[in-house]
Amino acid sequence: MPDTRVLGDLAVEVAVVGAATGVGDIEAMIRADPESPGLIASDGDHLYVLDRPYLEMILAGRLGYGRAVLSRRPAKQILREPALVLPAGTAWDDAARAGLSRPDVCRGAPIVVTLGDGRLGLAPIGPLVEYLSSGYETLAFTDGLTGLGNRRKLTEVAESLLDADKQVALILIDLDRFKEINDSLGHGRGDELLRQVAAALSGHTAFRFGGDEFVVLLDDLGDGSDEHLEQVARDLLDAIQGPFTIAGVPITVEASAGVARTAAGRRSLTALLARADTAMYVAKRHRTAVEVWRTELAAGQGIDLLLQSELRPAIEQGQLVLHYQPLVEAGTGRITSVEALVRWQHPRHGLLPPAAFIPDAERSDVIVALTDRVLTDAIAQAAHWHRRGLQIPVAVNLPAPVLAQDRIVTVIAGLLAEHGLPAESLIVEITESAVMTRPDYSAELLRQVRSLGVRVAMDDFGTGNTSLALLTRLPLDELKLDRAFVHRIHHVRERTIVEAVARMAKGLRLTLVAEGVEDESTAAILTAAGFDVLQGYHFGRPVPPDTLPFSEAAAVA
């Protein structure tokens, strides 16, 4: 059933006084009724809230006057902005959005509620914001198109099983030639096909991973053999084969699946997903429909085998290279900064993307040496630009293992000094998962980094489990919304989430960045929603520094 809570349910009727009433008289009236949240003052044109916490703050000397002096002053001398006035029938979510849109000085003040018959009441903003946040959390865990759990829900469920030492397997399913269906029948009918595929998977612990990819999570592995898991995956492909009738046309679905399961000593969801993804692409390439991950599959993808024997020497030999992706100002397209993204120029396998080696690197101490190398090269490049008059900040990601060591503050400070780079030209990016294990420690470490003058950004926001309370404790300058929400912004549910995040970021005075912007219509929606900075293939892919549009002849040799 739809939620029917309205503002009148939360309001407490209060008295109305004139703006000329003395502050001392108002204080006496509030103290006479301990249950009253405050009073409402009127100057004939507007209403003003005089709630108990605000009045006590003022009387404590916030305006520079003592209690005795203020008590003799009229209330009109301490009034804030005119109150937000809403009817009693206003839905809670609408009231919360209206309350959060007020100026900073009165955003925390109660809302004035018209109760009928000339009566007025006050409704606190706190419960309304909590209600809106809970609605955001519900939306954030559900794929708006199919109703299945989304990537964030998969993370929550899978990590709870892994933390409990459960043996699990992932089956990653990718629809073959789905783009052809979209192109021939239209995106609306492509979406309908995705909904029908999701319905066929609904009897399983299934999630929509993004686009035309689905994940099924197994915590009952049967006899645990590869043969059994392969058969489960083939049964799932049979279940989603159809045919499904779309716009009167019967459509048979072909798909490929990759299977990966937990191994001894390996409890990483990231590694499971990487292995399932590798297996799926092998199945697609060799047209076998299903592949179960095994070590031999890693040779072509650079996973595990490369890390074990070659990554550390590769760092020492300078085989890691940085590509840079521009971030642009929303509305103007002006480049505001770049993000440094590492690649591995492997002597045999060519240029390897980060997915081929970063997940395994993060499970060993080699990630520390790798991050040091990335920081060194990125700061050197930014300093090179700086000396040529190009004030282009560069962003570098700090993985969770690096953030767990306080040495990073000294490393960053030393590199900035060595290369003569102003601290404001460096942005460090952290993820939700990187701070959740030890939030207080992480917050203090980031405060030290920020005290150098370095900006701090939370990357991939929305994919982890960061609470709103934690966001207020972290010393952040920027919030980067994950591409999963951006890719679905044309759908009502995802747009609601994005707009809620935008309001929250503005309330926290954070620069708001959207990742994964791939077309002009998405950029326009995000700009209208209040995003400050946009990043994605629409504005530029990650490229070597000498091919960036502003850096001709300015690359570090």
Side-chain angles (χ1 to χ4, degrees):
M1 293 181 61
D3 197 307
T4 58
R5 280 178 282 191
V6 295
L7 197 56
D9 300 335
L10 196 59
V12 176
E13 185 175 355
V14 298
V16 180
V17 300
T21 305
V23 173
D25 294 331
I26 291 174
E27 180 186 14
M29 295 171 66
I30 292 178
R31 292 190 182 281
D33 183 3
E35 301 298 321
S36 173
L39 297 173
I40 297 172
S42 172
D43 63 3
D45 295 319
H46 300 98
L47 299 177
Y48 302 86
V49 174
L50 290 169
D51 54 301
R52 188 183 298 271
Y54 176 69
L55 187 62
E56 290 178 351
M57 178 185 68
I58 294 299
L59 290 171
R62 180 66 178 271
L63 295 182
Y65 301 105
R67 181 182 294 267
V69 174
L70 275 177
S71 294
R72 297 191 298 272
R73 300 291 177 91
K76 62 184 179 183
Q77 293 189 7
I78 65 168
L79 299 178
R80 293 173 287 192
E81 295 286 325
L84 172 63
V85 182
L86 296 175
T90 305
W92 277 28
D93 53 351
D94 292 335
R97 293 188 183 97
L100 289 173
S101 68
R102 293 179 292 181
D104 291 351
V105 68
C106 56
R107 187 171 291 136
I111 297 171
V112 173
V113 184
T114 56
L115 301 174
D117 300 325
R119 296 176 300 123
L120 296 175
L122 293 178
I125 188 68
L128 298 173
V129 173
E130 290 178 6
Y131 171 76
L132 186 64
S133 298
S134 67
Y136 158 69
E137 291 295 332
T138 299
L139 287 171
F141 280 103
T142 305
D143 175 60
L145 177 66
T146 64
L148 294 178
N150 60 12
R151 186 188 299 229
R152 186 175 181 184
K153 186 63 175 178
L154 168 64
T155 300
E156 179 189 67
V157 174
E159 290 189 345
S160 67
L161 291 171
L162 292 172
D163 289 344
D165 288 330
K166 298 284 189 181
Q167 293 294 315
V168 302
L170 292 180
I171 301 176
L172 177 62
I173 299 172
D174 182 88
L175 306 189
D176 296 336
R177 297 188 293 280
F178 180 71
K179 185 178 184 299
E180 296 176 13
I181 297 173
N182 264 339
D183 291 344
S184 59
L185 298 181
H187 288 276
R189 288 165 180 169
D191 286 350
E192 175 57 28
L193 178 61
L194 292 175
R195 281 190 286 266
Q196 295 202 33
V197 169
L201 294 172
S202 61
H204 305 272
T205 307
F207 309 84
R208 183 167 177 234
F209 198 59
D212 59 351
E213 289 187 331
F214 297 84
V215 171
V216 173
L217 177 64
L218 304 176
D219 59 359
D220 180 0
L221 307 189
D223 63 13
S225 66
D226 287 355
E227 292 75 15
H228 172 76
L229 294 175
E230 180 180 340
Q231 188 57 53
V232 171
R234 292 192 182 279
D235 290 343
L236 288 170
L237 296 189
D238 288 343
I240 67 172
Q241 185 176 20
F244 302 106
T245 301
I246 307 294
V249 178
I251 295 178
T252 299
V253 174
E254 296 180 11
S256 303
V259 185
R261 59 179 173 182
T262 49
R266 300 259 182 167
R267 315 301 302 174
S268 167
L269 175 59
T270 301
L272 272 180
L273 286 169
R275 291 176 172 184
D277 190 61
T278 297
M280 183 270 291
Y281 276 108
V282 170
K284 192 179 288 286
R285 186 167 60 249
H286 295 296
R287 300 182 181 276
T288 57
V290 175
E291 289 286 345
V292 179
W293 191 92
R294 56 193 184 277
T295 305
E296 304 89 84
L297 300 184
Q301 300 293 326
I303 297 175
D304 280 353
L305 296 179
L306 289 175
L307 172 67
Q308 292 169 10
S309 62
E310 297 177 303
L311 182 54
R312 196 181 300 274
I315 296 171
E316 298 169 355
Q317 295 165 15
Q319 292 178 14
L320 298 187
V321 297
L322 296 185
H323 287 190
Y324 297 85
Q325 185 172 33
L327 286 78
V328 305
E329 184 178 53
T332 69
R334 179 181 63 86
I335 294 178
T336 61
S337 62
V338 294
E339 182 177 359
L341 300 164
V342 67
R343 305 289 189 263
W344 184 352
Q345 189 63 62
H346 194 278
R348 295 190 309 279
H349 300 291
L351 191 66
L352 296 176
F357 56 94
I358 292 295
D360 277 347
E362 289 185 341
R363 294 195 298 276
S364 75
D365 63 352
V366 73
I367 192 63
V368 177
L370 188 153
T371 304
D372 285 354
R373 182 75 266 159
V374 171
L375 276 168
T376 299
D377 291 351
I379 288 174
Q381 179 65 70
H384 186 81
W385 287 327
H386 183 73
R387 288 192 295 272
R388 284 157 175 74
L390 296 168
Q391 311 303 320
I392 303 295
V394 61
V396 176
N397 183 269
L398 297 185
V402 173
L403 198 60
Q405 302 180 12
D406 56 11
R407 66 179 289 278
I408 193 62
V409 180
T410 304
V411 169
I412 290 173
L415 288 171
L416 291 173
E418 177 185 348
H419 293 280
L421 181 69
E424 60 268 21
S425 292
L426 177 64
I427 304 165
V428 296
E429 297 186 356
I430 51 102
T431 61
E432 297 178 72
S433 58
V435 300
M436 287 303 293
T437 304
R438 301 169 66 192
D440 292 333
Y441 173 85
S442 299
E444 176 55 33
L445 189 67
L446 292 172
R447 270 189 284 271
Q448 294 179 36
V449 171
R450 200 165 180 247
S451 70
L452 300 174
V454 175
R455 291 175 62 83
V456 178
M458 175 167 283
D459 195 16
D460 299 335
F461 180 72
T463 60
N465 299 294
T466 301
S467 68
L468 298 181
L470 179 58
L471 278 183
T472 63
R473 290 161 51 196
L474 292 173
L476 299 176
D477 298 287
E478 300 181 7
L479 195 67
K480 299 184 73 174
L481 184 68
D482 186 68
R483 67 187 67 247
F485 295 105
V486 173
H487 289 172
R488 297 292 300 172
I489 199 171
H490 295 277
H491 295 264
V492 174
R493 290 170 64 92
E494 273 73 10
R495 189 179 300 191
T496 300
I497 295 173
V498 169
E499 291 172 348
V501 170
R503 285 190 295 271
M504 177 186 67
K506 293 303 180 185
L508 295 173
R509 291 192 173 92
L510 300 176
T511 298
L512 189 57
V513 183
E515 301 177 294
V517 182
E518 296 185 358
D519 55 67
E520 182 58 36
S521 63
T522 299
I525 293 172
L526 291 164
T527 301
F531 278 72
D532 304 296
V533 177
L534 307 178
Q535 178 181 7
Y537 287 173
H538 181 59
F539 303 103
R541 293 174 178 267
V543 294
D546 56 348
T547 61
L548 285 166
F550 57 80
S551 60
E552 292 85 352
V556 172

